[in-house]
Amino acid sequence: MKKASSLTEIGFSPDAKHHLFSPLPDAEPATRTSRHIKITVVGCGNVGMAIAQTILTQEIADEIALVDAQPNKLRGEMLDLQHAAAFLPRVKIASSTDYEITAGSDLAIITAGARQNPGETRLDLLQRNLAIFKKIVPPLAQYSPDCILLVVSNPVDVLTYITWKLSGFPPNRVIGSGTNLDSSRFRFLLADHLNVNAQDVQAYMVGEHGDSSVALWSSISVGGVPVISSLEKNDINLSPEMLEATRKAVIDSAYEVISLKGYTSWAIGYSVASLAFSLLRHQRRIHPVSLLAKGFYGIPEDREVFLSLPAQIGRGGILGVVNIHLTEEEAKRLRRSAETLWECQTQLGI
């Protein structure tokens, strides 16, 4: 008897993957890329440099271009990384305030943006960031028309929407870091309590990267074991108050880091580097990232909002959105999160 070399030969439907993932509307296929990988990082603050340093040490890129509005700090950061050349793989590191240096990028990561001033409304902050992004996104799109744009600046979901509008790119090539890090914090808390490795915990935070994010309790598993149903079978019930307190702890963990050291950097550096690796090495891994969510899980087609959903990513950007099962309460919270973001976007006038 001949040994089967694939599940298709055994009889599994070749269309199975189409039932697991849904494509984004108006998505475009990936363009061919050379083996030489170039990444641009816009914004050389704490977050931008943590991302650049992590990408550098994980051997993801052959070339890194740094862009910032402050020439002295920019050159200092570039030199500081270049001086580590003897301890790292050979990577070309360049910097400039001119976006021409970004030409031919495979991935452009945007971390620049305005911080909220005391007493400033969220809308005022968004308007200031809109003005900044109008100077960043068009030249990135001009010099690297085939790249993937990855937004990290906050508020990330609305700024990813702004980037999509300003770039004119298909939606699969405009992504926000979204709740990728929130989900890692969620997994850490669960793994710490259960005394397991966080990599063996599957748990997602979705929706807005912010206070209205949604914890998907119904799909949490550890080593393939569904957590909630397993606990219920053993007469261990988690009250809604306990679940909400845990969700709040995930959100508050970021604020705690900021209150203690003034900013977050290392975790977001690793989070974005993991996204860069999955995208540029075409890993087809699933990450909860901010994407054009209209039409998914009851979000109206006329709501062009970006929020986080588990998605398969690779060289073409968003390859498909996972058709994950949501409870009615989770779906309701997700739609509420989308409405919150839509209200902010409608006031921007773009």
Side-chain angles (χ1 to χ4, degrees), residues 257-307:
V257 174
I258 293 169
S259 69
L260 292 171
K261 61 178 275 189
Y263 54 89
T264 63
S265 57
W266 299 121
I268 187 63
Y270 280 100
S271 172
V272 174
S274 76
L275 295 176
F277 184 85
S278 292
L279 288 164
L280 299 178
R281 299 294 176 85
H282 199 56
Q283 292 297 292
R284 306 183 76 90
R285 287 192 62 190
I286 294 169
H287 293 266
V289 290
S290 189
L291 50 81
L292 183 61
K294 66 175 184 178
F296 293 104
Y297 301 107
I299 298 171
E301 289 282 353
D302 62 348
R303 297 290 197 260
E304 291 185 329
V305 294
F306 277 71
L307 50 72

mmCIF file of all heavy atoms in Angstrom, residues 257-307:
data_model
loop_
_atom_site.group_PDB
_atom_site.id
_atom_site.type_symbol
_atom_site.label_atom_id
_atom_site.label_comp_id
_atom_site.label_asym_id
_atom_site.label_seq_id
_atom_site.Cartn_x
_atom_site.Cartn_y
_atom_site.Cartn_z
ATOM 1 N N VAL A 257 3.277 49.464 33.720
ATOM 2 C CA VAL A 257 4.642 49.615 33.207
ATOM 3 C C VAL A 257 4.949 51.097 32.964
ATOM 4 O O VAL A 257 6.027 51.586 33.330
ATOM 5 C CB VAL A 257 4.825 48.807 31.901
ATOM 6 C CG1 VAL A 257 6.193 49.085 31.284
ATOM 7 C CG2 VAL A 257 4.671 47.317 32.176
ATOM 8 N N ILE A 258 3.993 51.801 32.361
ATOM 9 C CA ILE A 258 4.193 53.226 32.069
ATOM 10 C C ILE A 258 4.373 54.021 33.359
ATOM 11 O O ILE A 258 5.226 54.902 33.445
ATOM 12 C CB ILE A 258 3.016 53.767 31.245
ATOM 13 C CG1 ILE A 258 3.007 53.118 29.853
ATOM 14 C CG2 ILE A 258 3.087 55.291 31.119
ATOM 15 C CD1 ILE A 258 1.757 53.377 29.046
ATOM 16 N N SER A 259 3.572 53.701 34.380
ATOM 17 C CA SER A 259 3.675 54.438 35.638
ATOM 18 C C SER A 259 5.003 54.165 36.337
ATOM 19 O O SER A 259 5.518 55.022 37.068
ATOM 20 C CB SER A 259 2.512 54.062 36.570
ATOM 21 O OG SER A 259 2.632 52.729 37.034
ATOM 22 N N LEU A 260 5.592 52.991 36.116
ATOM 23 C CA LEU A 260 6.828 52.624 36.793
ATOM 24 C C LEU A 260 8.079 53.110 36.060
ATOM 25 O O LEU A 260 9.029 53.583 36.696
ATOM 26 C CB LEU A 260 6.899 51.103 36.960
ATOM 27 C CG LEU A 260 5.886 50.484 37.935
ATOM 28 C CD1 LEU A 260 5.903 48.970 37.840
ATOM 29 C CD2 LEU A 260 6.186 50.926 39.370
ATOM 30 N N LYS A 261 8.102 52.985 34.722
ATOM 31 C CA LYS A 261 9.317 53.357 33.988
ATOM 32 C C LYS A 261 9.101 54.483 32.981
ATOM 33 O O LYS A 261 10.051 54.931 32.336
ATOM 34 C CB LYS A 261 9.929 52.143 33.288
ATOM 35 C CG LYS A 261 9.034 51.466 32.262
ATOM 36 C CD LYS A 261 9.755 50.286 31.568
ATOM 37 C CE LYS A 261 10.581 50.765 30.395
ATOM 38 N NZ LYS A 261 11.118 49.652 29.569
ATOM 39 N N GLY A 262 7.842 54.943 32.846
ATOM 40 C CA GLY A 262 7.568 56.090 31.984
ATOM 41 C C GLY A 262 7.118 55.752 30.582
ATOM 42 O O GLY A 262 6.567 56.601 29.874
ATOM 43 N N TYR A 263 7.317 54.508 30.143
ATOM 44 C CA TYR A 263 6.939 54.103 28.789
ATOM 45 C C TYR A 263 7.042 52.581 28.703
ATOM 46 O O TYR A 263 7.620 51.936 29.585
ATOM 47 C CB TYR A 263 7.870 54.737 27.742
ATOM 48 C CG TYR A 263 9.331 54.466 27.999
ATOM 49 C CD1 TYR A 263 9.962 53.333 27.480
ATOM 50 C CD2 TYR A 263 10.092 55.336 28.784
ATOM 51 C CE1 TYR A 263 11.289 53.065 27.733
ATOM 52 C CE2 TYR A 263 11.432 55.076 29.051
ATOM 53 C CZ TYR A 263 12.036 53.942 28.519
ATOM 54 O OH TYR A 263 13.349 53.677 28.763
ATOM 55 N N THR A 264 6.477 52.012 27.646
ATOM 56 C CA THR A 264 6.689 50.590 27.359
ATOM 57 C C THR A 264 7.616 50.502 26.152
ATOM 58 O O THR A 264 7.557 51.353 25.263
ATOM 59 C CB THR A 264 5.377 49.856 27.048
ATOM 60 O OG1 THR A 264 4.796 50.414 25.868
ATOM 61 C CG2 THR A 264 4.402 49.974 28.203
ATOM 62 N N SER A 265 8.458 49.497 26.088
ATOM 63 C CA SER A 265 9.359 49.403 24.937
ATOM 64 C C SER A 265 9.724 47.958 24.588
ATOM 65 O O SER A 265 9.529 47.530 23.459
ATOM 66 C CB SER A 265 10.633 50.213 25.177
ATOM 67 O OG SER A 265 11.288 49.790 26.363
ATOM 68 N N TRP A 266 10.238 47.193 25.554
ATOM 69 C CA TRP A 266 10.765 45.874 25.216
ATOM 70 C C TRP A 266 9.690 44.920 24.717
ATOM 71 O O TRP A 266 9.885 44.223 23.711
ATOM 72 C CB TRP A 266 11.504 45.279 26.415
ATOM 73 C CG TRP A 266 12.671 46.116 26.833
ATOM 74 C CD1 TRP A 266 12.872 46.703 28.059
ATOM 75 C CD2 TRP A 266 13.777 46.513 26.016
ATOM 76 N NE1 TRP A 266 14.035 47.431 28.050
ATOM 77 C CE2 TRP A 266 14.617 47.329 26.812
ATOM 78 C CE3 TRP A 266 14.149 46.252 24.701
ATOM 79 C CZ2 TRP A 266 15.792 47.891 26.324
ATOM 80 C CZ3 TRP A 266 15.321 46.811 24.215
ATOM 81 C CH2 TRP A 266 16.127 47.607 25.021
ATOM 82 N N ALA A 267 8.559 44.862 25.396
ATOM 83 C CA ALA A 267 7.508 43.929 24.977
ATOM 84 C C ALA A 267 6.959 44.286 23.602
ATOM 85 O O ALA A 267 6.734 43.409 22.762
ATOM 86 C CB ALA A 267 6.384 43.891 26.014
ATOM 87 N N ILE A 268 6.757 45.581 23.345
ATOM 88 C CA ILE A 268 6.249 45.978 22.020
ATOM 89 C C ILE A 268 7.326 45.729 20.963
ATOM 90 O O ILE A 268 7.020 45.389 19.817
ATOM 91 C CB ILE A 268 5.773 47.458 22.012
ATOM 92 C CG1 ILE A 268 5.080 47.808 20.672
ATOM 93 C CG2 ILE A 268 6.899 48.420 22.290
ATOM 94 C CD1 ILE A 268 3.831 47.034 20.391
ATOM 95 N N GLY A 269 8.601 45.845 21.363
ATOM 96 C CA GLY A 269 9.678 45.527 20.428
ATOM 97 C C GLY A 269 9.619 44.083 19.970
ATOM 98 O O GLY A 269 9.702 43.776 18.771
ATOM 99 N N TYR A 270 9.464 43.167 20.925
ATOM 100 C CA TYR A 270 9.367 41.745 20.588
ATOM 101 C C TYR A 270 8.078 41.446 19.822
ATOM 102 O O TYR A 270 8.063 40.608 18.908
ATOM 103 C CB TYR A 270 9.435 40.892 21.854
ATOM 104 C CG TYR A 270 10.839 40.684 22.358
ATOM 105 C CD1 TYR A 270 11.339 41.436 23.416
ATOM 106 C CD2 TYR A 270 11.678 39.737 21.770
ATOM 107 C CE1 TYR A 270 12.640 41.248 23.880
ATOM 108 C CE2 TYR A 270 12.964 39.543 22.221
ATOM 109 C CZ TYR A 270 13.448 40.302 23.277
ATOM 110 O OH TYR A 270 14.728 40.114 23.718
ATOM 111 N N SER A 271 6.989 42.110 20.209
ATOM 112 C CA SER A 271 5.705 41.892 19.542
ATOM 113 C C SER A 271 5.786 42.261 18.062
ATOM 114 O O SER A 271 5.378 41.489 17.188
ATOM 115 C CB SER A 271 4.609 42.720 20.233
ATOM 116 O OG SER A 271 3.403 42.664 19.505
ATOM 117 N N VAL A 272 6.334 43.439 17.778
ATOM 118 C CA VAL A 272 6.404 43.899 16.386
ATOM 119 C C VAL A 272 7.427 43.084 15.594
ATOM 120 O O VAL A 272 7.216 42.786 14.412
ATOM 121 C CB VAL A 272 6.717 45.406 16.336
ATOM 122 C CG1 VAL A 272 6.946 45.870 14.894
ATOM 123 C CG2 VAL A 272 5.580 46.199 16.969
ATOM 124 N N ALA A 273 8.528 42.702 16.244
ATOM 125 C CA ALA A 273 9.509 41.856 15.554
ATOM 126 C C ALA A 273 8.888 40.514 15.163
ATOM 127 O O ALA A 273 9.178 39.973 14.085
ATOM 128 C CB ALA A 273 10.730 41.633 16.445
ATOM 129 N N SER A 274 8.013 39.983 16.018
ATOM 130 C CA SER A 274 7.342 38.717 15.680
ATOM 131 C C SER A 274 6.433 38.894 14.469
ATOM 132 O O SER A 274 6.331 38.003 13.621
ATOM 133 C CB SER A 274 6.549 38.182 16.875
ATOM 134 O OG SER A 274 5.342 38.898 17.071
ATOM 135 N N LEU A 275 5.783 40.058 14.386
ATOM 136 C CA LEU A 275 4.944 40.350 13.219
ATOM 137 C C LEU A 275 5.803 40.484 11.963
ATOM 138 O O LEU A 275 5.446 39.970 10.894
ATOM 139 C CB LEU A 275 4.142 41.629 13.446
ATOM 140 C CG LEU A 275 3.102 41.600 14.569
ATOM 141 C CD1 LEU A 275 2.461 42.981 14.740
ATOM 142 C CD2 LEU A 275 2.023 40.560 14.301
ATOM 143 N N ALA A 276 6.935 41.187 12.085
ATOM 144 C CA ALA A 276 7.833 41.369 10.943
ATOM 145 C C ALA A 276 8.329 40.020 10.426
ATOM 146 O O ALA A 276 8.370 39.775 9.211
ATOM 147 C CB ALA A 276 9.012 42.256 11.337
ATOM 148 N N PHE A 277 8.690 39.140 11.353
ATOM 149 C CA PHE A 277 9.173 37.812 10.959
ATOM 150 C C PHE A 277 8.082 37.027 10.230
ATOM 151 O O PHE A 277 8.320 36.430 9.180
ATOM 152 C CB PHE A 277 9.650 37.045 12.195
ATOM 153 C CG PHE A 277 10.261 35.703 11.882
ATOM 154 C CD1 PHE A 277 11.590 35.595 11.543
ATOM 155 C CD2 PHE A 277 9.485 34.545 11.927
ATOM 156 C CE1 PHE A 277 12.158 34.352 11.246
ATOM 157 C CE2 PHE A 277 10.039 33.307 11.632
ATOM 158 C CZ PHE A 277 11.383 33.209 11.294
ATOM 159 N N SER A 278 6.875 37.024 10.797
ATOM 160 C CA SER A 278 5.771 36.277 10.184
ATOM 161 C C SER A 278 5.426 36.820 8.802
ATOM 162 O O SER A 278 5.118 36.061 7.882
ATOM 163 C CB SER A 278 4.536 36.324 11.083
ATOM 164 O OG SER A 278 4.752 35.590 12.269
ATOM 165 N N LEU A 279 5.485 38.146 8.655
ATOM 166 C CA LEU A 279 5.148 38.781 7.383
ATOM 167 C C LEU A 279 6.211 38.501 6.322
ATOM 168 O O LEU A 279 5.910 37.988 5.238
ATOM 169 C CB LEU A 279 4.990 40.290 7.571
ATOM 170 C CG LEU A 279 3.748 40.771 8.314
ATOM 171 C CD1 LEU A 279 3.913 42.216 8.771
ATOM 172 C CD2 LEU A 279 2.496 40.638 7.443
ATOM 173 N N LEU A 280 7.454 38.832 6.633
ATOM 174 C CA LEU A 280 8.501 38.819 5.617
ATOM 175 C C LEU A 280 9.055 37.434 5.344
ATOM 176 O O LEU A 280 9.573 37.179 4.263
ATOM 177 C CB LEU A 280 9.624 39.772 6.022
ATOM 178 C CG LEU A 280 9.179 41.242 6.154
ATOM 179 C CD1 LEU A 280 10.342 42.113 6.595
ATOM 180 C CD2 LEU A 280 8.593 41.757 4.846
ATOM 181 N N ARG A 281 8.943 36.523 6.299
ATOM 182 C CA ARG A 281 9.374 35.140 6.072
ATOM 183 C C ARG A 281 8.198 34.249 5.676
ATOM 184 O O ARG A 281 8.336 33.028 5.612
ATOM 185 C CB ARG A 281 10.062 34.585 7.326
ATOM 186 C CG ARG A 281 11.324 35.357 7.723
ATOM 187 C CD ARG A 281 12.436 35.222 6.705
ATOM 188 N NE ARG A 281 13.583 36.045 7.067
ATOM 189 C CZ ARG A 281 14.545 35.673 7.895
ATOM 190 N NH1 ARG A 281 14.491 34.480 8.488
ATOM 191 N NH2 ARG A 281 15.557 36.475 8.149
ATOM 192 N N HIS A 282 7.060 34.875 5.405
ATOM 193 C CA HIS A 282 5.850 34.188 4.925
ATOM 194 C C HIS A 282 5.517 32.972 5.789
ATOM 195 O O HIS A 282 5.302 31.856 5.303
ATOM 196 C CB HIS A 282 6.021 33.766 3.463
ATOM 197 C CG HIS A 282 4.709 33.473 2.777
ATOM 198 N ND1 HIS A 282 3.674 34.386 2.712
ATOM 199 C CD2 HIS A 282 4.266 32.360 2.131
ATOM 200 C CE1 HIS A 282 2.659 33.852 2.062
ATOM 201 N NE2 HIS A 282 2.979 32.625 1.703
ATOM 202 N N GLN A 283 5.426 33.218 7.095
ATOM 203 C CA GLN A 283 5.209 32.130 8.049
ATOM 204 C C GLN A 283 3.768 31.633 8.102
ATOM 205 O O GLN A 283 3.498 30.568 8.634
ATOM 206 C CB GLN A 283 5.637 32.584 9.449
ATOM 207 C CG GLN A 283 7.125 32.806 9.596
ATOM 208 C CD GLN A 283 7.915 31.535 9.392
ATOM 209 O OE1 GLN A 283 7.832 30.626 10.198
ATOM 210 N NE2 GLN A 283 8.667 31.465 8.312
ATOM 211 N N ARG A 284 2.837 32.447 7.605
ATOM 212 C CA ARG A 284 1.409 32.103 7.632
ATOM 213 C C ARG A 284 0.924 31.825 9.064
ATOM 214 O O ARG A 284 0.017 31.026 9.292
ATOM 215 C CB ARG A 284 1.112 30.902 6.722
ATOM 216 C CG ARG A 284 1.591 31.075 5.297
ATOM 217 C CD ARG A 284 1.211 29.914 4.416
ATOM 218 N NE ARG A 284 -0.192 29.985 4.069
ATOM 219 C CZ ARG A 284 -0.682 30.624 2.995
ATOM 220 N NH1 ARG A 284 0.130 31.244 2.182
ATOM 221 N NH2 ARG A 284 -1.972 30.639 2.767
ATOM 222 N N ARG A 285 1.560 32.501 10.012
ATOM 223 C CA ARG A 285 1.152 32.381 11.412
ATOM 224 C C ARG A 285 -0.073 33.234 11.690
ATOM 225 O O ARG A 285 -0.382 34.182 10.947
ATOM 226 C CB ARG A 285 2.290 32.806 12.342
ATOM 227 C CG ARG A 285 3.430 31.807 12.425
ATOM 228 C CD ARG A 285 4.355 32.147 13.578
ATOM 229 N NE ARG A 285 3.642 32.083 14.856
ATOM 230 C CZ ARG A 285 4.135 32.515 16.004
ATOM 231 N NH1 ARG A 285 5.327 33.078 16.042
ATOM 232 N NH2 ARG A 285 3.437 32.414 17.112
ATOM 233 N N ILE A 286 -0.761 32.909 12.791
ATOM 234 C CA ILE A 286 -1.970 33.648 13.164
ATOM 235 C C ILE A 286 -1.639 34.618 14.289
ATOM 236 O O ILE A 286 -1.110 34.216 15.335
ATOM 237 C CB ILE A 286 -3.090 32.678 13.576
ATOM 238 C CG1 ILE A 286 -3.525 31.850 12.365
ATOM 239 C CG2 ILE A 286 -4.291 33.452 14.148
ATOM 240 C CD1 ILE A 286 -4.414 30.688 12.692
ATOM 241 N N HIS A 287 -1.919 35.898 14.041
ATOM 242 C CA HIS A 287 -1.706 36.951 15.028
ATOM 243 C C HIS A 287 -2.970 37.799 15.132
ATOM 244 O O HIS A 287 -3.619 38.057 14.106
ATOM 245 C CB HIS A 287 -0.569 37.883 14.596
ATOM 246 C CG HIS A 287 0.789 37.263 14.575
ATOM 247 N ND1 HIS A 287 1.660 37.330 15.640
ATOM 248 C CD2 HIS A 287 1.442 36.573 13.597
ATOM 249 C CE1 HIS A 287 2.787 36.720 15.327
ATOM 250 N NE2 HIS A 287 2.685 36.245 14.100
ATOM 251 N N PRO A 288 -3.322 38.279 16.315
ATOM 252 C CA PRO A 288 -4.416 39.241 16.425
ATOM 253 C C PRO A 288 -3.887 40.641 16.095
ATOM 254 O O PRO A 288 -3.144 41.236 16.880
ATOM 255 C CB PRO A 288 -4.842 39.127 17.897
ATOM 256 C CG PRO A 288 -3.598 38.676 18.606
ATOM 257 C CD PRO A 288 -2.783 37.883 17.637
ATOM 258 N N VAL A 289 -4.210 41.123 14.906
ATOM 259 C CA VAL A 289 -3.716 42.421 14.442
ATOM 260 C C VAL A 289 -4.873 43.291 13.966
ATOM 261 O O VAL A 289 -5.958 42.798 13.631
ATOM 262 C CB VAL A 289 -2.678 42.259 13.307
ATOM 263 C CG1 VAL A 289 -1.379 41.660 13.830
ATOM 264 C CG2 VAL A 289 -3.242 41.407 12.164
ATOM 265 N N SER A 290 -4.614 44.580 13.910
ATOM 266 C CA SER A 290 -5.643 45.520 13.480
ATOM 267 C C SER A 290 -5.764 45.486 11.959
ATOM 268 O O SER A 290 -4.781 45.681 11.236
ATOM 269 C CB SER A 290 -5.283 46.933 13.961
ATOM 270 O OG SER A 290 -6.348 47.821 13.753
ATOM 271 N N LEU A 291 -6.981 45.250 11.485
ATOM 272 C CA LEU A 291 -7.239 45.112 10.056
ATOM 273 C C LEU A 291 -8.611 45.683 9.724
ATOM 274 O O LEU A 291 -9.400 45.980 10.618
ATOM 275 C CB LEU A 291 -7.143 43.637 9.650
ATOM 276 C CG LEU A 291 -7.932 42.611 10.474
ATOM 277 C CD1 LEU A 291 -9.398 42.540 10.083
ATOM 278 C CD2 LEU A 291 -7.310 41.232 10.364
ATOM 279 N N LEU A 292 -8.878 45.826 8.436
ATOM 280 C CA LEU A 292 -10.183 46.340 8.006
ATOM 281 C C LEU A 292 -11.243 45.294 8.334
ATOM 282 O O LEU A 292 -11.289 44.226 7.737
ATOM 283 C CB LEU A 292 -10.157 46.640 6.507
ATOM 284 C CG LEU A 292 -11.442 47.242 5.939
ATOM 285 C CD1 LEU A 292 -11.778 48.583 6.600
ATOM 286 C CD2 LEU A 292 -11.319 47.413 4.422
ATOM 287 N N ALA A 293 -12.097 45.619 9.311
ATOM 288 C CA ALA A 293 -12.974 44.602 9.905
ATOM 289 C C ALA A 293 -14.421 44.664 9.422
ATOM 290 O O ALA A 293 -15.257 43.904 9.919
ATOM 291 C CB ALA A 293 -12.949 44.737 11.427
ATOM 292 N N LYS A 294 -14.731 45.518 8.473
ATOM 293 C CA LYS A 294 -16.126 45.613 8.036
ATOM 294 C C LYS A 294 -16.600 44.276 7.464
ATOM 295 O O LYS A 294 -15.874 43.578 6.753
ATOM 296 C CB LYS A 294 -16.283 46.718 6.987
ATOM 297 C CG LYS A 294 -15.574 46.462 5.665
ATOM 298 C CD LYS A 294 -15.891 47.558 4.653
ATOM 299 C CE LYS A 294 -15.264 47.257 3.295
ATOM 300 N NZ LYS A 294 -15.600 48.281 2.283
ATOM 301 N N GLY A 295 -17.811 43.898 7.857
ATOM 302 C CA GLY A 295 -18.390 42.656 7.360
ATOM 303 C C GLY A 295 -18.090 41.430 8.191
ATOM 304 O O GLY A 295 -18.688 40.373 7.982
ATOM 305 N N PHE A 296 -17.173 41.553 9.146
ATOM 306 C CA PHE A 296 -16.836 40.406 9.995
ATOM 307 C C PHE A 296 -17.596 40.468 11.322
ATOM 308 O O PHE A 296 -17.687 41.522 11.946
ATOM 309 C CB PHE A 296 -15.333 40.361 10.279
ATOM 310 C CG PHE A 296 -14.491 40.062 9.063
ATOM 311 C CD1 PHE A 296 -13.770 41.054 8.427
ATOM 312 C CD2 PHE A 296 -14.430 38.769 8.539
ATOM 313 C CE1 PHE A 296 -12.997 40.783 7.309
ATOM 314 C CE2 PHE A 296 -13.664 38.480 7.421
ATOM 315 C CZ PHE A 296 -12.948 39.494 6.799
ATOM 316 N N TYR A 297 -18.145 39.342 11.736
ATOM 317 C CA TYR A 297 -18.800 39.196 13.043
ATOM 318 C C TYR A 297 -19.899 40.242 13.276
ATOM 319 O O TYR A 297 -20.042 40.763 14.370
ATOM 320 C CB TYR A 297 -17.762 39.264 14.165
ATOM 321 C CG TYR A 297 -16.717 38.181 14.038
ATOM 322 C CD1 TYR A 297 -15.428 38.489 13.625
ATOM 323 C CD2 TYR A 297 -17.026 36.846 14.306
ATOM 324 C CE1 TYR A 297 -14.467 37.494 13.477
ATOM 325 C CE2 TYR A 297 -16.074 35.851 14.165
ATOM 326 C CZ TYR A 297 -14.797 36.178 13.743
ATOM 327 O OH TYR A 297 -13.853 35.193 13.593
ATOM 328 N N GLY A 298 -20.629 40.543 12.214
ATOM 329 C CA GLY A 298 -21.768 41.453 12.351
ATOM 330 C C GLY A 298 -21.412 42.922 12.311
ATOM 331 O O GLY A 298 -22.286 43.778 12.513
ATOM 332 N N ILE A 299 -20.156 43.271 12.059
ATOM 333 C CA ILE A 299 -19.783 44.679 11.895
ATOM 334 C C ILE A 299 -20.301 45.137 10.537
ATOM 335 O O ILE A 299 -19.982 44.526 9.515
ATOM 336 C CB ILE A 299 -18.254 44.868 11.988
ATOM 337 C CG1 ILE A 299 -17.765 44.446 13.374
ATOM 338 C CG2 ILE A 299 -17.862 46.316 11.699
ATOM 339 C CD1 ILE A 299 -16.257 44.390 13.504
ATOM 340 N N PRO A 300 -21.131 46.184 10.500
ATOM 341 C CA PRO A 300 -21.758 46.594 9.237
ATOM 342 C C PRO A 300 -20.753 46.879 8.126
ATOM 343 O O PRO A 300 -19.639 47.350 8.382
ATOM 344 C CB PRO A 300 -22.530 47.871 9.630
ATOM 345 C CG PRO A 300 -22.758 47.742 11.098
ATOM 346 C CD PRO A 300 -21.552 47.029 11.634
ATOM 347 N N GLU A 301 -21.152 46.595 6.888
ATOM 348 C CA GLU A 301 -20.290 46.801 5.725
ATOM 349 C C GLU A 301 -19.922 48.268 5.520
ATOM 350 O O GLU A 301 -18.901 48.575 4.903
ATOM 351 C CB GLU A 301 -20.993 46.276 4.462
ATOM 352 C CG GLU A 301 -21.096 44.766 4.384
ATOM 353 C CD GLU A 301 -19.778 44.105 3.965
ATOM 354 O OE1 GLU A 301 -18.842 44.847 3.614
ATOM 355 O OE2 GLU A 301 -19.708 42.870 4.011
ATOM 356 N N ASP A 302 -20.772 49.180 6.022
ATOM 357 C CA ASP A 302 -20.477 50.603 5.833
ATOM 358 C C ASP A 302 -19.594 51.179 6.937
ATOM 359 O O ASP A 302 -19.315 52.375 6.953
ATOM 360 C CB ASP A 302 -21.778 51.416 5.734
ATOM 361 C CG ASP A 302 -22.615 51.340 7.006
ATOM 362 O OD1 ASP A 302 -22.314 50.492 7.871
ATOM 363 O OD2 ASP A 302 -23.562 52.141 7.133
ATOM 364 N N ARG A 303 -19.135 50.323 7.867
ATOM 365 C CA ARG A 303 -18.250 50.769 8.948
ATOM 366 C C ARG A 303 -16.817 50.388 8.599
ATOM 367 O O ARG A 303 -16.369 49.292 8.869
ATOM 368 C CB ARG A 303 -18.654 50.132 10.283
ATOM 369 C CG ARG A 303 -20.049 50.513 10.771
ATOM 370 C CD ARG A 303 -20.077 51.983 11.198
ATOM 371 N NE ARG A 303 -21.224 52.294 12.015
ATOM 372 C CZ ARG A 303 -22.326 52.888 11.579
ATOM 373 N NH1 ARG A 303 -22.437 53.200 10.292
ATOM 374 N NH2 ARG A 303 -23.310 53.169 12.411
ATOM 375 N N GLU A 304 -16.086 51.290 7.994
ATOM 376 C CA GLU A 304 -14.708 51.009 7.587
ATOM 377 C C GLU A 304 -13.775 51.200 8.775
ATOM 378 O O GLU A 304 -12.957 52.119 8.817
ATOM 379 C CB GLU A 304 -14.301 51.894 6.408
ATOM 380 C CG GLU A 304 -15.029 51.549 5.123
ATOM 381 C CD GLU A 304 -14.537 52.339 3.937
ATOM 382 O OE1 GLU A 304 -14.106 53.501 4.123
ATOM 383 O OE2 GLU A 304 -14.574 51.815 2.814
ATOM 384 N N VAL A 305 -13.907 50.324 9.738
ATOM 385 C CA VAL A 305 -13.090 50.429 10.954
ATOM 386 C C VAL A 305 -11.980 49.387 10.928
ATOM 387 O O VAL A 305 -12.138 48.290 10.389
ATOM 388 C CB VAL A 305 -13.927 50.245 12.241
ATOM 389 C CG1 VAL A 305 -14.913 51.379 12.409
ATOM 390 C CG2 VAL A 305 -14.639 48.902 12.255
ATOM 391 N N PHE A 306 -10.858 49.757 11.516
ATOM 392 C CA PHE A 306 -9.767 48.820 11.739
ATOM 393 C C PHE A 306 -9.779 48.445 13.213
ATOM 394 O O PHE A 306 -9.771 49.315 14.087
ATOM 395 C CB PHE A 306 -8.426 49.454 11.377
ATOM 396 C CG PHE A 306 -8.096 49.403 9.914
ATOM 397 C CD1 PHE A 306 -8.793 50.197 9.003
ATOM 398 C CD2 PHE A 306 -7.096 48.566 9.432
ATOM 399 C CE1 PHE A 306 -8.498 50.153 7.645
ATOM 400 C CE2 PHE A 306 -6.801 48.513 8.078
ATOM 401 C CZ PHE A 306 -7.499 49.310 7.176
ATOM 402 N N LEU A 307 -9.824 47.164 13.480
ATOM 403 C CA LEU A 307 -9.687 46.655 14.845
ATOM 404 C C LEU A 307 -9.089 45.265 14.764
ATOM 405 O O LEU A 307 -8.966 44.673 13.694
ATOM 406 C CB LEU A 307 -11.019 46.671 15.596
ATOM 407 C CG LEU A 307 -12.273 46.063 14.985
ATOM 408 C CD1 LEU A 307 -12.207 44.544 14.954
ATOM 409 C CD2 LEU A 307 -13.506 46.507 15.752
#
